[in-house]
Amino acid sequence: MERQEADCRAWAARHGLLVRQVHVDRGRSGYKSVTRKGFEAARRAVTSGVVRTLIVWKLDRLSRKGTAEVGPLLDAFDLIGGRLVSVMDGLDSSRPGDRLAMASLSEWARAEAEIQGERIRHAKRYLRSRGRWIGGQPPYGLRIDAESGQLTPDPETAVYARLIADEALSGRPLVKIARLLNEHEIAAPRGGL
């Protein structure tokens, strides 16, 4: 992200533009239907006339929803005399022909995201079919076997996981189970009592 921002700032400096705000949606996909506060703030800054130019590092960093999202954005920018610049793609929506290239690239980004998503789903299905753990921290009481990639009982915590399960299944309230664990100084999964 830092490199992308540096490239965008360098482009702005070369073209005599002042960077007023940097909008980032860290950890938010430009493909999924999620709220992207940075994207919305950047769009509003241009469509309200606060700024005239939105600079992105690469068009696929702005959106991976194709022309369904990028097209209306370009239309809105055109109405108020704004423009979209994609530094790495070398595109500026105010130049003849670049808008067409942006539409095309936005569709390529959408297709690429769909293909990548399918590859990931396929790989996960394959790993699951082989009994492999596919990511994240394993459940308390289990660990990932280095050779097989499968979940196996953790010799240090499995007995406590079994105790917690037995107590919960017997109807004991969770707060009482927590107190029991604290009394016996059994550390929580992420440390601490």
Side-chain angles (χ1 to χ4, degrees):
M1 291 264 212
E2 291 79 19
R3 185 193 80 230
Q4 294 176 20
E5 182 180 337
D7 289 345
C8 290
R9 284 182 179 278
W11 188 94
R14 282 192 309 274
H15 292 84
L17 297 176
L18 171 69
V19 175
R20 292 191 179 179
Q21 180 73 43
V22 175
H23 302 281
V24 178
D25 286 310
R26 197 174 302 275
R28 296 295 212 182
S29 171
Y31 178 66
K32 295 181 180 176
S33 293
V34 295
T35 301
R36 296 174 56 215
K37 292 179 182 177
F39 174 84
E40 289 303 321
R43 182 189 58 75
R44 278 192 309 275
V46 178
T47 57
S48 68
V50 171
V51 298
R52 308 284 273 171
T53 304
L54 174 60
I55 303 168
V56 297
W57 186 71
K58 202 162 177 351
L59 197 60
D60 67 0
R61 302 294 82 206
L62 175 68
S63 174
R64 287 182 170 243
K65 292 182 181 174
T67 54
E69 186 166 68
V70 174
L73 188 69
L74 291 171
D75 288 343
F77 286 14
D78 281 351
L79 284 175
I80 55 94
R83 68 181 179 157
L84 173 64
V85 171
S86 176
V87 173
M88 298 308 288
D89 297 317
L91 299 172
D92 181 336
S93 68
S94 68
R95 291 192 309 233
D98 281 10
R99 184 180 163 124
L100 176 61
M102 286 179 168
S104 180
L105 279 178
S106 70
E107 281 300 310
W108 277 106
R110 183 190 58 75
E112 180 182 310
E114 288 176 357
I115 291 166
Q116 182 180 21
E118 182 54 36
R119 279 195 306 262
I120 290 169
R121 284 188 296 279
H122 179 41
K124 286 181 176 182
R125 277 193 305 270
Y126 175 79
L127 292 173
R128 281 189 191 110
S129 74
R130 301 289 185 269
R132 305 258 330 240
W133 181 251
I134 60 169
Q137 183 172 342
Y140 184 68
L142 299 173
R143 65 179 179 82
I144 303 168
D145 180 73
E147 289 182 32
S148 70
Q150 296 180 340
L151 292 178
T152 60
D154 180 344
E156 294 180 23
T157 60
V159 66
Y160 304 127
R162 181 78 257 164
L163 170 70
I164 293 167
D166 289 343
E167 292 293 317
L169 290 171
S170 73
R172 190 168 201 177
L174 295 178
V175 70
K176 289 189 177 185
I177 297 171
R179 286 184 188 137
L180 173 69
L181 296 170
N182 287 338
E183 286 171 19
H184 294 285
E185 297 184 354
I186 300 168
R190 296 191 177 140
L193 298 177

